[in-house]
């Protein structure tokens, strides 16, 4: 049974923005500035360029293959089943780590420390339940959360650029080339949500036109928001942002608007929920596509007849994420997730590069830049996180090899 095509341009843009303007924009500045220093805007530009190249590859592929599964389905069609499997598996494991990180970030803003784990698990269960009752409800909830996030960020920018700091900010650290690249790798994690639109290609109305436009609009909007927030943090906090765990709340405090701190915390919690909701939705669709091809258990390919969503896949993903929240230390989750996401987009660029002229919407040079950018940023990730992610990818490869051998 195919999924229902119910998402229009506004819905698709909201889902893309909800994936990108999430917890990252409220927390990524401290680790990024601690390595990039005065080169933070250069790092942001590098991350945006790589994200744009990847977005054009995803848009071109989605227009030619308007089905669920994203690069998993595209790579299977363009360069072979093994490439598709590695892309899909990398996406699933990377984004599961992202889901756990988003849930715990939400809990950090919304609950006292002793309640953070149960609140994080509750958030996962609640949003998975929303996903199980139809994709139009997912889009509606995402719209609401995106509006809350943007209002909170608007307050930060208005108070930061419109007010006056109580003290002179500390100078930014001097930038090194490697530090700027590390900063770009961290900032890319916050951008990596635009392809959520492509993974839902089977549910988008007029996907050939809608998906490329939605990806471009969502990415462009995120770049504008991130640039304004980065400038605000630099102007108000300067080098102090490198050690701040809540830099946007600190902007309000530094400009004498402490009363806005609770509002910003609410906005950060809403942003985390928006990202978590979109992540759960995208992973569910990729899991569905992989299960249809038996690259994951066939049991997960069932689509609910009433609500027309992959309910079994959604429930399975939610249980895994909740389990991670309960038992894992996720301090390295960003590095682990970034490894999987960058590998996913590396394969997306390779698949788009192989497309024929009749399907081409963007020059091949963009795919070359995107692939090289992914490789460059992968090499900036923490060694331990990269090593663990490599092992998990190899476990998936061994699983598929065993399944193919048994099926023969």
């Amino acid at each position: 049974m195919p999924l229902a095509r119910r998402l229009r341009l506004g819905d698709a843009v909201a889902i893309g923005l909800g994936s990108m303007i999430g917890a990252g924009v409220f927390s990524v500045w401290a680790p990024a500035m601690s390595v990039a220093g005065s080169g933070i805007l250069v790092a942001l530009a590098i991350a945006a360029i790589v994200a744009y190249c990847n977005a054009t590859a995803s848009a071109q592929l989605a227009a030619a293959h308007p089905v669920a599964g994203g690069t998993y389905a595209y790579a299977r069609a363009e360069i072979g089943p093994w490439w598709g499997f590695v892309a899909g598996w990398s996406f699933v494991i990377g984004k599961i780590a992202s889901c756990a990180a988003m849930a715990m970030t939400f809990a950090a803003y919304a609950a006292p420390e002793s309640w953070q784990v149960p609140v994080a698990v509750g958030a996962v269960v609640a949003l998975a339940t929303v996903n199980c009752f139809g994709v139009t409800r997912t889009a509606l909830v995402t719209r609401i959360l995106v509006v809350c996030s943007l209002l909170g960020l608007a307050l930060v920018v208005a108070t930061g650029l419109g007010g006056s700091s109580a003290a002179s900010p500390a100078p930014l650290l001097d930038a090194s080339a490697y530090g700027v690249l590390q900063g770009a790798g961290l900032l890319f994690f916050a951008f990596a949500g635009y392809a959520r639109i492509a993974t839902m290609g089977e549910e988008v109305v007029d996907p050939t036109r809608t998906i490329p436009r939605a990806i471009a609009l969502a990415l462009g909007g995120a770049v504008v928001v991130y640039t304004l927030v980065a400038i605000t943090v630099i102007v108000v906090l300067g080098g102090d942002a490198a050690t701040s765990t809540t830099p946007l709340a600190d902007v309000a405090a530094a400009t004498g608007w402490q009363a806005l701190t609770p509002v910003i915390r609410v906005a950060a919690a809403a942003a985390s929920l928006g990202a978590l909701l979109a992540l759960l939705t995208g992973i569910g669709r990729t899991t569905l596509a992989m299960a249809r091809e038996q690259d994951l258990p066939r049991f997960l390919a069932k689509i609910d007849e009433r609500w027309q969503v992959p309910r079994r896949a959604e429930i399975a993903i939610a249980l895994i994420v909740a389990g991670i929240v309960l038992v894992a230390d996720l301090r390295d989750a960003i590095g682990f997730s970034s490894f999987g996401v960058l590998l996913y987009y590396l394969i997306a660029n390779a698949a788009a590069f192989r497309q024929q002229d009749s399907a081409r919407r963007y020059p091949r040079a963009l795919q070359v830049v995107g692939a090289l950018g992914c490789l460059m940023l992968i090499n900036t990730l923490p060694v331990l996180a990269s090593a663990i992610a490599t092992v998990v990818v190899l476990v998936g490869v061994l699983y598929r090899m065993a399944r193919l051998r048994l099926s023969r």
Side-chain angles (χ1 to χ4, degrees), residues 131-156:
N131 277 343
C132 286
F133 287 100
V135 72
T136 52
R137 289 164 177 79
T138 298
L140 174 62
V141 174
T142 302
R143 281 174 183 264
I144 295 170
L145 295 175
V146 168
V147 170
C148 292
S149 304
L150 291 175
L151 288 174
L153 293 173
L155 284 175
V156 171

Side-chain angles (χ1 to χ4, degrees), residues 195-241:
R196 205 76 64 253
I197 303 166
T199 64
M200 302 178 71
E202 199 171 316
E203 296 162 276
V204 174
V205 177
D206 192 9
T208 302
R209 294 183 66 252
T210 300
I211 291 176
R213 293 170 62 198
I215 289 176
L217 288 171
L219 180 60
V223 170
V224 171
V225 171
Y226 279 27
T227 301
L228 289 172
V229 173
I231 292 172
T232 303
V233 171
I234 291 170
V235 169
V236 177
L237 299 181
D240 293 335

Side-chain angles (χ1 to χ4, degrees), residues 89-383:
W89 183 242
S90 298
F91 179 88
V92 169
I93 64 173
K95 291 307 181 182
I96 283 176
S98 294
C99 284
M102 293 301 100
M104 296 182 78
T105 301
F106 162 74
Y109 278 97
E113 186 174 355
S114 60
W115 283 88
Q116 287 179 9
V117 171
V119 167
V121 172
V124 173
V125 173
L127 294 187
T129 301
V130 171
N131 277 343
C132 286
F133 287 100
V135 72
T136 52
R137 289 164 177 79
T138 298
L140 174 62
V141 174
T142 302
R143 281 174 183 264
I144 295 170
L145 295 175
V146 168
V147 170
C148 292
S149 304
L150 291 175
L151 288 174
L153 293 173
L155 284 175
V156 171
V157 173
T159 56
L161 298 183
S164 57
S165 179
S168 299
L172 292 168
L173 299 173
D174 292 335
S176 66
Y178 187 73
V180 169
L181 292 178
Q182 281 186 311
L186 292 168
L187 289 167
F188 180 82
F189 172 80
F191 274 115
Y194 45 85
R196 205 76 64 253
I197 303 166
T199 64
M200 302 178 71
E202 199 171 316
E203 296 162 276
V204 174
V205 177
D206 192 9
T208 302
R209 294 183 66 252
T210 300
I211 291 176
R213 293 170 62 198
I215 289 176
L217 288 171
L219 180 60
V223 170
V224 171
V225 171
Y226 279 27
T227 301
L228 289 172
V229 173
I231 292 172
T232 303
V233 171
I234 291 170
V235 169
V236 177
L237 299 181
D240 293 335
T243 57
S244 172
T245 57
T246 55
L248 301 195
D250 290 346
V251 166
T255 53
W257 289 89
Q258 291 93 336
L260 291 178
T261 300
V263 177
I264 294 171
R265 292 178 70 90
V266 170
S272 302
L273 284 181
L276 177 58
L277 179 61
L279 283 167
L280 288 171
T281 305
I283 298 171
R285 272 59 181 178
T286 301
T287 301
L288 167 68
M290 296 181 73
R292 282 172 170 173
E293 301 294 339
Q294 299 185 54
D295 282 337
L296 288 176
R298 187 75 178 175
F299 170 82
L300 299 173
K302 173 72 173 177
I303 295 177
D304 183 84
E305 293 184 2
R306 179 179 180 184
W307 301 108
Q308 294 183 293
V309 294
R311 179 172 292 185
R312 291 179 180 177
E314 295 281 2
I315 293 173
I317 295 299
L319 289 174
I320 295 171
V321 173
I324 294 173
V325 170
L326 286 172
V327 303
D329 179 359
L330 293 175
R331 287 176 294 181
D332 292 326
I334 288 179
F336 184 95
S337 176
S338 293
F339 184 97
V341 172
L342 287 166
L343 183 57
Y344 175 86
Y345 286 124
L346 174 62
I347 297 172
N349 279 291
F353 186 86
R354 287 286 299 273
Q355 286 184 286
Q356 301 300 314
D357 291 342
S358 59
R360 184 153 298 284
R361 291 169 172 262
Y362 304 96
R364 281 190 168 90
L366 286 178
Q367 282 105 60
V368 173
V369 174
L372 292 176
C374 288
L375 287 172
M376 177 182 66
L377 295 183
I378 284 174
N379 285 315
T380 70
L381 298 175
V383 174

Side-chain angles (χ1 to χ4, degrees), residues 85 89 388-402:
F85 173 81
W89 183 242
I388 295 173
T390 300
V391 170
V392 177
V393 170
L394 291 176
V395 168
V397 170
L398 291 174
Y399 163 80
R400 188 170 192 270
M401 290 176 64

